Amino acid sequence: MDEPATIAWKYAANLICEEDLPMLAAHLLAAGHDSPSLRDLAGRSRREHPAEIRQLFGHTMEELGIQIPDYETAERCLLHHMATELTAGALSPKMAADRVWQGIEALTDPEREFVAAVGLEYHLDFMSPEEVRAWENAVRLAAKTLAGTAFPHTQ
């Protein structure tokens, strides 16, 4: 189960939809987090009006002391998350390439190097097996470097 700060950046990066927030709130309650808005959100339906859920989610994060990051920071969190997952073996370089786009906000050298190493996923179709292995190694190395840097949002 993700922690509230992780849910906040994933929501800001559009990886979590409003209709999923009530269930995530219920999971947070079960994990021991608590606030009046969190309890209210956990009791809501997936079919509630998205604007109402969004507002309640904002109140919930505020009560839990979590700031919802802006979109650019959330994208950077996604880069760091993918680098950590790649380093742990939970994500393949190909899966990372499917999720990284070249317009993604990368502010630090390790972030830019990771995005550059991943490159454009469609290039894989035109690579020899040796080139793919070299690319995978370069992506893993860039991921390891990025995973060792500070996360851009409070965890």
Side-chain angles (χ1 to χ4, degrees):
M1 174 67 220
D2 288 334
E3 287 295 313
T6 302
I7 292 170
W9 73 253
K10 284 183 175 182
Y11 174 75
N14 297 320
L15 299 176
I16 295 174
C17 302
E18 282 89 1
E19 62 261 16
D20 296 329
L21 292 174
M23 183 57 72
L24 289 171
H27 288 297
L28 288 175
L29 280 174
H33 300 279
D34 194 18
S35 82
S37 292
L38 181 63
R39 289 190 300 271
D40 186 3
L41 183 58
R44 298 295 179 110
S45 164
R46 293 178 55 89
R47 293 180 183 86
E48 300 272 344
H49 193 279
E52 195 171 320
I53 294 295
R54 230 182 347 266
Q55 182 179 20
L56 192 52
F57 179 68
H59 291 308
T60 299
M61 291 294 111
E62 191 174 299
E63 289 174 359
L64 294 175
I66 305 296
Q67 181 180 359
I68 299 174
D70 58 50
Y71 183 72
E72 289 78 22
T73 303
E75 282 187 328
R76 293 180 60 223
C77 290
L78 176 60
L79 286 177
H80 283 255
H81 176 73
M82 285 191 299
T84 301
E85 294 281 296
L86 232 159
T87 302
L91 185 72
S92 71
K94 170 78 168 98
M95 291 166 68
D98 289 342
R99 295 169 67 182
V100 170
W101 51 98
Q102 294 303 305
I104 200 164
E105 190 70 31
L107 298 181
T108 66
D109 286 340
E111 290 169 356
R112 284 189 287 272
E113 289 167 13
F114 179 65
V115 171
V118 169
L120 299 175
E121 179 268 331
Y122 69 83
H123 286 150
L124 294 175
D125 295 338
F126 304 104
M127 292 180 169
S128 69
E130 296 80 23
E131 290 171 321
V132 169
R133 277 193 294 282
W135 170 79
E136 288 175 337
N137 290 336
V139 170
R140 284 189 181 97
L141 181 61
K144 185 176 180 181
T145 301
L146 180 56
T149 65
F151 206 79
H153 183 64
T154 306
Q155 289 291 299

